[in-house]
Amino acid sequence: MTLGRTDIITHPAGEEDVVSSMRAPATNMAPSQQRNKGFSDISGMILHNAPCNSRMMHFDAAGFEQLTPKEQEILQDEILNASTRSGRRKTKSDVAAMMAQGLSGGRVARKKQISSADVITKFGYAPQLGYEDLRMAEAVVHHGTTREREASNISDMDFKQIIEEPLAKDVEEFVFNYVGLTSAEAAKRLEKYGKNELPEKVTPKWRLFINQFWAPMPIMIWIAILIEIAIQNFIDMFILLLIQFTNASISFYELNKAGNAVAALKSSLKPVATCKRDGEWNVVNATLLVPGDLVLLASGSAIPADCRVNSSELDVDQAALTGESLPVTFYKGDCCKMGSTVVRGEVNATIEFTGEDTFFGKTASLLQHRDEHSHLQKMLMRIMFILVSFSVTLCVISFVYLIVEGESLKTSLSHTIVLLVASIPLAIEIVTNTTLAIGSKSLSRHGAIVARLTAIEDLAGMSILCCDKTGTLTMNKMVLQEDKDIPVYSSGENQESVLVYAALAAKWKEPPRDALDRLTLGSVNMDLLVDYEQLDFLPFDPTTKRTEGHIVNTKTGSEFKTTKGAPHIILSLLSDSDMKEQVEADVERFGTIGIRSLAIAKMDLKDERNEWKMMGLLTFLDPPRKDTKQTIIDANKYGVNVKMITGDHLLIAKQTAEALAMGNMIFGSENLPLLDPVTKQKPADLGKTYGNLCLAADGFAQVFPEHKYLIVESLRELGHSVGMTGDGVNDAPALKRADVGIAVAGATDAARAAADIILTEEGLSTIIHGIIVAREIFSRISNFVTYRVRFCHLPHPDKLFFTTCQLTSNLCLSVRYRLHSS
């Protein structure tokens, strides 16, 4: 394989995609067939004429593989180590070149073993289209249009397989069960796979409360309380107890107020399922289901585990997973997720994953990490450690001084305790929490509900904000492009008439079934459909991958058929090579800039030829919110770097990033790390190995939940304060792991429970208001703490020594004065 213009859909099995920062060499076509089509945007950044660093070998068009092994070793060493030797950070061009040769030391990133348990099918995902229009654009870039493929002996069937091949690669081979399991086989599988339940480690609330009394500051107060008891000073003892329990109660309340994300996941699960065992249908405990079981999914029933639809179709409400109120239609072979509910249809399904292997289970395992102290808590603990050290030192000096001066042990000890209690700001935690609580009300007026008070300080110091694209940066609504450049291929037609034909290929008198129906029926002028009657309708089927309507015009009596679907599916109905050539060129033109294409064709039934005729393309995209671009500019002005992390296609992510001026370093997920498949632990040296890549990137596309989790973790290991936005169950692990987890408006219960801040208004602008308010709040806390501790946290040893001597002298004088006065 030569380095340069490549396509992931043409790679042999197991071979990684290649990302190059050099000129692309010529393809293997004959000289007469070579096309100057530019570079493919497939599966990673291919940078044309990217600048070489001064310590890097010069790239040329010959390709990396044509270098000698020694030259390859030298080149890779230069790429990986130049920045380290020169004492600077890796630049974006370093990282792009680094991705071309693996991430470190010849180590190749593990290829993602895609499981259906990693993917959620949302309402916005149109099964008639999928991402096949974008894959067609990529394939045309690589293989050429119809005539160029004919010259290269690539048939239409081969071209279709190239477009649809990723689907076959992504989904594992699955064996459907149509007869059910025997009880003996089910018992064996139950022993092998375990029960169908989510793992959860629950710490009793009483233990959480007791833990609030075990920290440096509470321990000091306990010591003071014991001494007060020993000298029988019960008034001070009760005051100290009141302070102790007040601090503990506030901390426990904040800890208990934060939602339990795993409990939120489990609350949406149902305990029973209808399963076929030993040839009979029975209602069984859902925790006893095993992979391979045959279950019945009917209207109103909960889906008990991740399972594949055996046949027909099913409408499923996935609000608990995605937050979307509209149901999603599943067809034969599609995977329904545990926790969703059937709203229409009745089908048999085969269990694919149970327990911790389900989508819910994987999410729950990522949510089980140990809670950490916030930056504010760490700062207060550091201050308290310094103050306690000083206080103990000075009190010991005072105690010795009083004993030497001839005071009694009880008097000396009593005065020492008074000094110890007075020198430690016991109420500092109460004051900071009160300030944060007042500030949280101010944030709520800006549409941000605070679930964890210390998150206000983290929000004030946030340096990187990782954003989901759909619904946060964009409107989560497909919008048709109204442009004169939109192609129409039939004379006498225009964009409006093409839209009418698209609507006639749907059930326009019924609610929309998916995103494409909602797009067409929501955009068309319904008055233009009054004169049409639908005689027959061919719904979407995974084998045909298009919808078709048999229509009669009630005024003229003319009959015709109209169909809509992915461009390569509609083009397979045509016989006109010139038309195919033109359509493919247009799909490529739109697809390479991330704009989706839906093809519409028509057949006149009174025409004896009965041939399909191409009407036109409907192009659409999910546009950015109106305020998003300005919000990102404001965030950068305040020192917050916004990165896009999305499961959407790479080309769409690039188009969105370009529209929002977020940068062009958008990568796919091929070089991102994965959790260990057995231990579920993150890779060793995560930040050291992958941190520079995550830091240099402006965003990542086609990622899975564990990718989001590890991106956040790698940035945190570099010392950055990281924020993360999300709305679905798949975002919950990253929300919980981030320093500031932000659940956007309309988020699921699990996402809200995992988040630190919950937005009640759509878009990112609320976050920017939150950053400003949080910094004002933190400024107040900083001023109070600085005033309260004064010199006690000075970092230089000479200043510490001077301060110690000064405080000791003043202390001894004040003690002597007080004793003589009494």
Side-chain angles (χ1 to χ4, degrees):
M1 179 186 296
T2 58
L3 186 66
R5 194 165 135 191
T6 61
D7 194 325
I8 194 171
I9 61 178
T10 62
H11 287 178
E15 191 167 350
E16 294 289 340
D17 187 23
V18 181
V19 181
S20 171
S21 59
M22 69 179 93
R23 289 184 181 273
T27 61
N28 295 326
M29 294 182 182
S32 61
Q33 302 167 9
Q34 291 181 8
R35 304 160 53 244
N36 186 21
K37 301 289 285 188
F39 290 76
S40 170
D41 277 330
I42 302 303
S43 185
M45 290 297 298
I46 299 181
L47 304 177
H48 182 55
N49 283 335
C52 298
N53 296 308
S54 58
R55 298 186 57 84
M56 291 171 58
M57 283 183 57
H58 177 68
F59 283 102
D60 59 27
F64 180 80
E65 293 183 354
Q66 297 183 20
L67 300 177
T68 65
K70 184 64 176 177
E71 289 173 334
Q72 292 181 9
E73 183 179 350
I74 294 173
L75 174 61
Q76 182 169 304
D77 180 69
E78 289 293 318
I79 293 173
L80 295 173
N81 301 319
S83 62
T84 303
R85 290 194 294 266
S86 63
R88 64 168 177 81
R89 279 190 174 275
K90 288 184 176 68
T91 64
K92 293 190 177 184
S93 55
D94 286 331
V95 176
M98 179 174 66
M99 289 177 66
Q101 306 305 330
L103 288 174
S104 64
R107 186 170 66 187
V108 178
R110 286 188 293 133
K111 194 171 183 67
K112 172 66 181 174
Q113 300 298 316
I114 296 177
S115 164
S116 60
D118 295 316
V119 185
I120 290 183
T121 302
K122 294 189 176 183
F123 181 83
Y125 175 84
Q128 298 100 313
L129 198 58
Y131 291 121
E132 293 180 6
D133 57 324
L134 299 178
R135 286 197 289 265
M136 177 180 174
E138 296 171 339
V140 171
V141 169
H142 186 74
H143 298 287
T145 54
T146 302
R147 291 193 179 90
E148 292 168 328
R149 294 198 305 272
E150 289 175 355
S152 302
N153 295 321
I154 299 176
S155 66
D156 290 342
M157 183 60 67
D158 293 335
F159 186 65
K160 181 179 178 182
Q161 290 178 350
I162 289 171
I163 295 174
E164 298 178 358
E165 186 179 10
L167 295 177
K169 286 185 176 180
D170 289 352
V171 181
E172 304 162 336
E173 292 186 2
F174 183 75
V175 178
F176 290 90
N177 187 348
Y178 297 94
V179 296
L181 298 176
T182 63
S183 298
E185 178 63 24
K188 291 180 181 178
R189 298 191 182 192
L190 183 63
E191 184 177 354
K192 178 180 179 180
Y193 296 105
K195 286 191 173 184
N196 179 36
E197 55 188 8
L198 298 184
E200 182 182 10
K201 298 178 182 178
V202 180
T203 303
K205 291 187 181 297
W206 63 267
R207 180 173 294 177
L208 292 176
F209 184 72
I210 294 298
N211 290 340
Q212 308 309 310
F213 296 100
W214 185 255
M217 181 175 172
I219 290 174
M220 285 300 303
I221 298 178
W222 283 124
I223 294 174
I225 291 173
L226 292 176
I227 296 176
E228 295 290 359
I229 294 175
I231 63 177
Q232 297 182 353
N233 190 350
F234 297 111
I235 296 178
D236 289 348
M237 178 200 71
F238 282 115
I239 294 174
L240 291 174
L241 281 174
L242 178 62
I243 293 174
Q244 182 83 300
F245 277 90
T246 301
N247 285 338
S249 300
I250 293 174
S251 300
F252 177 74
Y253 171 75
E254 284 301 316
L255 186 65
N256 196 46
K257 187 178 69 172
N260 188 328
V262 177
L265 289 177
K266 297 184 72 172
S267 66
S268 61
L269 305 182
K270 299 296 175 64
V272 296
T274 304
C275 177
K276 192 173 186 179
R277 295 269 179 89
D278 298 322
E280 295 182 358
W281 290 100
N282 293 296
V283 176
V284 300
N285 189 332
T287 61
L288 302 179
L289 293 176
V290 296
D293 261 327
L294 182 64
V295 293
L296 176 65
L297 304 180
S299 180
S301 64
I303 296 178
D306 289 2
C307 52
R308 297 284 187 96
V309 178
N310 282 10
S311 60
S312 189
E313 63 182 62
L314 194 69
D315 284 357
V316 177
D317 178 8
Q318 296 189 129
L321 280 71
T322 65
E324 295 177 335
S325 59
L326 296 171
V328 180
T329 303
F330 289 87
Y331 301 91
K332 179 180 178 180
D334 290 340
C335 182
C336 305
K337 296 293 185 291
M338 171 194 284
S340 47
T341 305
V342 179
V343 295
R344 188 189 67 84
E346 182 172 327
V347 301
N348 293 342
T350 305
I351 299 294
E352 184 176 15
F353 299 109
T354 59
E356 61 183 9
D357 294 324
T358 62
F359 179 85
F360 263 34
K362 290 183 176 182
T363 301
S365 66
L366 293 177
L367 289 168
Q368 296 288 357
H369 77 271
R370 186 176 301 175
D371 291 327
E372 298 178 351
H373 294 294
S374 68
H375 294 295
L376 179 62
Q377 290 171 324
K378 291 177 182 178
M379 181 186 69
L380 292 179
M381 288 178 64
R382 180 172 179 269
I383 291 173
M384 289 304 303
F385 178 79
I386 294 174
L387 290 180
V388 167
S389 300
F390 269 99
S391 300
V392 171
T393 302
L394 297 178
C395 287
V396 169
I397 295 174
S398 172
F399 179 76
V400 173
Y401 174 80
L402 292 175
I403 293 296
V404 172
E405 289 292 313
E407 297 293 334
S408 65
L409 178 63
K410 182 176 180 180
T411 302
S412 301
L413 194 59
S414 177
H415 282 283
T416 301
I417 294 300
V418 170
L419 292 174
L420 179 63
V421 174
S423 61
I424 300 176
L426 300 178
I428 191 171
E429 189 171 352
I430 298 176
V431 174
T432 47
N433 284 335
T434 303
T435 306
L436 291 173
I438 295 173
S440 68
K441 290 186 176 181
S442 177
L443 281 173
S444 66
R445 289 194 294 269
H446 289 85
I449 299 174
V450 179
R452 181 174 62 89
L453 283 181
T454 53
I456 296 177
E457 186 271 339
D458 291 327
L459 182 63
M462 182 173 63
S463 59
I464 295 177
L465 176 61
C466 298
C467 284
D468 186 32
K469 179 186 74 69
T470 306
T472 304
L473 299 176
T474 65
M475 297 175 63
N476 193 21
K477 178 182 178 183
M478 291 298 179
V479 176
L480 286 176
Q481 298 292 96
E482 295 182 1
D483 195 328
K484 295 179 180 179
D485 194 33
I486 301 302
V488 176
Y489 305 106
S490 181
S491 59
E493 304 294 346
N494 54 36
Q495 186 178 9
E496 185 177 52
S497 62
V498 172
L499 181 58
V500 169
Y501 288 127
L504 294 175
K507 289 275 192 181
W508 71 85
K509 295 182 180 180
E510 297 180 3
R513 296 291 300 275
D514 56 38
L516 286 186
D517 283 352
R518 187 166 66 166
L519 172 71
T520 54
L521 299 180
S523 303
V524 72
N525 183 355
M526 299 300 289
D527 293 336
L528 299 178
L529 306 180
V530 174
D531 296 333
Y532 295 101
E533 181 181 344
Q534 194 172 76
L535 301 180
D536 194 14
F537 178 70
L538 179 66
F540 173 82
D541 184 86
T543 57
T544 60
K545 296 188 176 181
R546 62 186 179 91
T547 61
E548 180 183 307
H550 183 176
I551 307 298
V552 61
N553 189 322
T554 56
K555 278 191 175 182
T556 64
S558 61
E559 291 187 23
F560 58 91
K561 290 184 178 180
T562 179
T563 183
K564 72 177 189 295
H568 76 287
I569 296 294
I570 301 303
L571 288 183
S572 66
L573 304 176
L574 306 182
S575 58
D576 188 346
S577 297
D578 292 336
M579 181 61 68
K580 289 183 179 181
E581 186 88 6
Q582 185 178 354
V583 174
E584 287 180 355
D586 288 332
V587 171
E588 178 200 355
R589 176 164 56 90
F590 289 114
T592 51
I593 58 175
I595 296 178
R596 313 297 305 278
S597 298
L598 178 68
I600 295 91
K602 174 187 176 184
M603 177 193 291
D604 290 320
L605 296 181
K606 293 186 178 181
D607 187 346
E608 295 180 356
R609 293 180 298 178
N610 286 341
E611 291 184 351
W612 286 101
K613 184 178 180 181
M614 191 70 185
M615 292 290 102
L617 294 176
L618 293 179
T619 59
F620 58 94
L621 50 75
D622 182 11
R625 294 182 180 276
K626 294 181 179 179
D627 63 338
T628 300
K629 186 173 183 178
Q630 184 59 44
T631 300
I632 293 175
I633 294 174
D634 293 340
N636 293 332
K637 183 174 68 175
Y638 294 130
V640 180
N641 183 16
V642 181
K643 298 181 184 292
M644 176 172 57
I645 303 179
T646 177
D648 218 336
H649 197 277
L650 180 64
L651 298 182
I652 298 176
K654 287 184 177 181
Q655 187 274 336
T656 303
E658 181 180 355
L660 297 175
M662 296 182 68
N664 59 358
M665 298 294 288
I666 308 296
F667 298 108
S669 60
E670 294 79 15
N671 290 289
L672 290 175
L674 297 168
L675 295 174
D676 187 277
V678 179
T679 64
K680 307 297 183 184
Q681 297 298 313
K682 65 182 181 181
D685 298 326
L686 177 65
K688 182 179 179 180
T689 306
Y690 299 96
N692 282 319
L693 172 63
C694 296
L695 190 61
D698 297 312
F700 292 95
Q702 295 171 261
V703 299
F704 294 95
E706 63 184 89
H707 287 143
K708 296 182 180 182
Y709 175 87
L710 291 173
I711 289 170
V712 169
E713 180 63 15
S714 65
L715 292 171
R716 293 181 77 249
E717 289 188 4
L718 292 181
H720 292 276
S721 181
V722 183
M724 178 73 198
T725 69
D727 58 355
V729 169
N730 57 328
D731 298 319
L735 290 174
K736 190 171 181 65
R737 191 56 184 152
D739 295 291
V740 187
I742 303 171
V744 299
T748 61
D749 291 341
R752 289 198 297 267
D756 305 310
I757 296 175
I758 302 165
L759 303 184
T760 58
E761 298 177 2
E762 297 181 343
L764 282 180
S765 58
T766 303
I767 298 177
I768 302 304
H769 288 301
I771 292 174
I772 297 172
V773 174
R775 290 181 178 180
E776 292 174 354
I777 297 169
F778 180 71
S779 178
R780 299 188 196 114
I781 294 176
S782 177
N783 292 336
F784 164 74
V785 173
T786 303
Y787 167 76
R788 185 63 183 85
V789 302
R790 305 185 74 176
F791 298 108
C792 295
H793 62 288
L794 294 175
H796 302 293
D798 55 341
K799 292 182 180 180
L800 287 175
F801 178 76
F802 172 77
T803 303
T804 304
C805 294
Q806 186 180 32
L807 290 175
T808 304
S809 176
N810 292 339
L811 177 66
C812 293
L813 291 174
S814 63
V815 169
R816 173 177 288 184
Y817 175 78
R818 180 177 180 183
L819 289 174
H820 283 294
S821 299
S822 59

